[in-house]
Each structure stands twice: as structure tokens, then as C-alpha cells.
Amino acid sequence: MVIFVDMDEVIADTYGAHIEVYNKDFNENLTLDFFHGSEAWHKVPKDRQQSVRDHARNRGFFRNLKPIANGQEVLKKLSEKHEVYIASAAMQFPNSLEEKSEWLDEHFSFIPWENRILCGHKHILRGDVLIDDRSYNLKTFEGRSLLFTSPHNVNTTGFERVNNWLEVADKLL
Amino acid sequence: MVIFVDMDEVIADTYGAHIEVYNKDFNENLTLDFFHGSEAWHKVPKDRQQSVRDHARNRGFFRNLKPIANGQEVLKKLSEKHEVYIASAAMQFPNSLEEKSEWLDEHFSFIPWENRILCGHKHILRGDVLIDDRSYNLKTFEGRSLLFTSPHNVNTTGFERVNNWLEVADKLL
């Protein structure tokens, strides 16, 4: 089985980093609960929205993300049985490309370079499973689509949902 | 129609750059004819082979490649009629990732980030045509495979071959 796994919000805690950087920049103490059901940049005051959107263009932002809980253990087991690929729509942020490669070297070294994909549209992927937090990626995938829960997609319906990596393990291992 | 186009040796003259850097490093005057039928690093003395292999790890190597003749015009026309993607097995060289993005911005700005793919294995690509100089990429592709002529593949048989971009235009436009 060929399994594609998105990076941001699926194996890497990008949302958490947005909040952390925002709190530091504006001396705030917002927590994840506050962002429930929306994009990080939608919930903050209008004059701070561009600042949050621009996090992704900052050098170091993607390099220092924390791994999402249990992703490493579950993907390690999955990759022993299946062909696991990391597929991130990273081409939008050229500054992120090398950082993402280094981040994978550090946290997912068992996924070799041959199994890493930095792309844009994901409907060009041929395989059996796609685990992603974005419905527009899942919608066009030909195989089984799993919506990985993130604060911004909690109200999205119409997809098979996984709330965390232990639920992925239940379904695929 | 979804068309995937490789970068090195197809739209970017990587082979020419290998020769140029080699000549500079070793004060030689080798030309393309000398390399006919082999990889650049196979034709030079044994104690210089690693040096040629390492070109790809040098910062700036991929940023400064010359575009292959007629690739820009033909791809521009193809992209007006079809969904054209650039697909490069660049993950092997993390230093190349941002350089390749910048190089595409400069020479192929009509291909947006959504249509750029930096990957490893190419059998994960779903589409109709793959234009590539590497038979191992073409072999596993489900669609029409076009072998783009490069010094290293002139003796490769068993594939539909295109010798240059004008021949691609004849076949696909």
C-alpha cells in the first residue's frame, strides 16, 4: 500500500508554532482553545492577520516545529509494512524547502529522501491513502482520504476523520 | 492532459555545468563529445570522479544552470493547452531545493508553485506524460514515457525518444 502523509498539522505542529510566535510578538497568552474552528490568522485582530500569515516566510519557522504526538512511532510501524511518503505542499514557501528536509532528517530519519515529496497540487499523487488536514487536497485524491483533525478543520464534514495518530494506527496498522 | 517534465538534463543543462566546473577545477578543455554515452563522472580519471559527483552538493551549482534550448518556448505553449508540472528528484540534494525554486522563478515563471514537484521516486506521479532523461523514472510511470536525450542515455533503448524540445513540440503540440 502507498500512503501519503502531509507535514504541517499532521506530523508537524505548525498551528502550535503560529500561536507561540503570535504570543511572543504581541505579548499575548492565547491558547489552542481560542482558535477552535478557524485558521490561526482569522481569529486575531485584523491589523495582526498579515503578521500571522507571514510566519511561514520567516527563516527557521518550519525548522523548529514540534512533532505531533505519536506520529513518529505510528509512521515507523506503518513504514515497515507499507510504502510511506511524506507529501507537503511546500513549494509556496521556498524558504521552507531545505528546513523541511532537515526537519525530516531529525524527526523522521526512517523516511528516506526517495520517499519525500515537496509539491503544490496533490491530485498528481498516485497511491492508496492520503492523510491530510486540508479538504481541498483530500477531495481530488483518487484513493482513501483521511482528514487529520486540526483546529481549522473541526467543523469540516464529508470525510473519514482521524483525530490523532493513535486513531490512524487503529485504522491502518 | 497532465504532463510531468524533469529538470536536470531536460530543461536545465546540468551536464554542461558538470563539464564547465570540471574544466575549471582541473584546468582541462573537455567538450561534450568526449562524454558521449556515459555519466560525466565515469569518463574522468578515477581520482577525480568523486569531485564531479560532489558538484551537486555545491551551493550555487543548480542556481546557475543554463536552460536547455527551446524548452522555455515549447513548455510555454504546452502549458497553455495542458496541465504542465515540473518534477525533479531533488530531495537527494537538500541544498538544491531553494535554488531550483529560484531557478524556475527566473526561467519558467509561467509554471506556478502549485505545478512544481521536488521528489524522490517518480512512480508516485499520476498523469499522462512524463518527459525524463532517466530510464528508471520512465519505466515505472503509468502514462506515456518520453526519454529526453542526454549524453548518458544515448545508448538506452526501449523508450520513445525525444532528442530535443522541437521534437517534443512535434509530438505533443
Side-chain angles (χ1 to χ4, degrees):
Chain A
M1 202 157 70
V2 171
I3 302 172
F4 299 108
V5 180
D6 180 35
M7 280 183 83
D8 296 306
E9 299 305 299
V10 175
I11 59 169
D13 185 11
T14 318
Y15 213 106
H18 277 305
I19 299 175
E20 206 175 294
V21 175
Y22 178 83
N23 282 340
K24 213 180 141 204
D25 284 354
F26 297 102
N27 198 22
E28 297 271 9
N29 282 299
L30 301 180
T31 59
L32 205 53
D33 297 342
F34 174 78
F35 292 91
H36 195 79
S38 92
E39 305 289 348
W41 47 88
H42 285 164
K43 291 286 274 190
V44 302
K46 271 228 156 61
D47 60 341
R48 296 176 177 182
Q49 291 187 350
Q50 194 56 48
S51 162
V52 176
R53 280 181 173 277
D54 287 346
H55 291 166
R57 302 190 184 279
N58 294 347
R59 298 268 168 197
F61 180 75
F62 289 99
R63 182 63 187 88
N64 298 311
L65 300 179
K66 296 187 183 77
I68 298 252
N70 304 116
Q72 288 155 304
E73 307 87 90
V74 175
L75 273 185
K76 181 94 175 62
K77 278 186 199 151
L78 275 173
S79 67
E80 283 158 13
K81 285 185 171 183
H82 302 288
E83 236 182 294
V84 172
Y85 290 82
I86 304 297
S88 172
M91 296 308 296
Q92 186 175 7
F93 305 111
N95 58 292
S96 77
L97 303 172
E98 191 166 348
E99 293 185 17
K100 285 186 176 232
S101 167
E102 288 174 357
W103 191 89
L104 289 170
D105 286 345
E106 181 182 347
H107 299 290
F108 291 84
S109 58
F110 56 88
I111 310 260
W113 69 266
E114 290 91 340
N115 289 37
R116 301 175 182 183
I117 306 158
L118 303 177
C119 60
H121 291 313
K122 292 192 181 172
H123 61 259
I124 49 86
L125 295 175
R126 174 159 73 117
D128 304 294
V129 178
L130 172 61
I131 307 173
D132 206 295
D133 64 311
R134 296 284 168 190
S135 56
Y136 54 75
N137 288 328
L138 297 169
K139 227 181 276 177
T140 54
F141 185 65
E142 59 171 357
R144 183 177 176 185
S145 288
L146 297 180
L147 181 69
F148 198 94
T149 295
S150 159
H152 70 79
N153 72 25
V154 290
N155 299 317
T156 304
T157 55
F159 294 93
E160 184 179 359
R161 182 182 288 275
V162 281
N163 287 302
N164 53 55
W165 275 99
L166 300 180
E167 289 190 17
V168 176
D170 277 348
K171 282 178 186 280
L172 300 182
L173 275 176
Chain B
M1 200 157 72
V2 171
I3 302 171
F4 299 108
V5 179
D6 180 35
M7 281 183 84
D8 297 306
E9 301 303 300
V10 175
I11 60 170
D13 185 11
T14 319
Y15 212 106
H18 276 304
I19 299 175
E20 205 176 294
V21 176
Y22 178 83
N23 282 340
K24 212 181 142 205
D25 284 354
F26 296 104
N27 199 22
E28 296 271 8
N29 282 298
L30 301 180
T31 60
L32 206 54
D33 298 343
F34 174 78
F35 292 91
H36 195 80
S38 91
E39 305 290 348
W41 47 88
H42 285 164
K43 291 284 275 192
V44 302
K46 273 227 155 61
D47 60 340
R48 296 175 176 183
Q49 292 186 351
Q50 193 57 47
S51 163
V52 176
R53 280 182 172 277
D54 287 345
H55 291 167
R57 302 191 183 278
N58 294 347
R59 296 268 168 197
F61 180 75
F62 289 99
R63 182 62 187 89
N64 297 311
L65 300 179
K66 295 187 182 76
I68 298 253
N70 304 117
Q72 288 154 305
E73 308 88 89
V74 175
L75 272 185
K76 182 96 176 61
K77 279 185 197 151
L78 275 173
S79 67
E80 283 156 14
K81 288 184 167 182
H82 302 289
E83 237 183 294
V84 172
Y85 289 82
I86 304 296
S88 173
M91 297 307 296
Q92 186 175 8
F93 304 111
N95 58 291
S96 77
L97 302 172
E98 192 166 348
E99 293 187 16
K100 284 185 177 235
S101 168
E102 289 175 357
W103 191 89
L104 289 170
D105 285 344
E106 181 182 348
H107 300 290
F108 290 84
S109 57
F110 56 89
I111 310 260
W113 69 264
E114 290 91 340
N115 289 37
R116 300 176 183 183
I117 306 157
L118 303 177
C119 59
H121 291 312
K122 292 192 181 172
H123 62 259
I124 50 84
L125 295 174
R126 175 161 72 118
D128 304 294
V129 178
L130 172 60
I131 307 174
D132 206 295
D133 65 310
R134 296 283 169 191
S135 55
Y136 55 76
N137 287 328
L138 297 168
K139 227 180 277 177
T140 53
F141 185 65
E142 59 170 357
R144 183 177 177 186
S145 289
L146 297 180
L147 181 69
F148 198 94
T149 296
S150 160
H152 71 78
N153 72 25
V154 290
N155 300 316
T156 303
T157 56
F159 294 92
E160 185 179 359
R161 181 182 287 275
V162 281
N163 287 302
N164 52 56
W165 276 98
L166 301 180
E167 289 189 18
V168 176
D170 277 349
K171 282 177 187 283
L172 300 182
L173 276 175

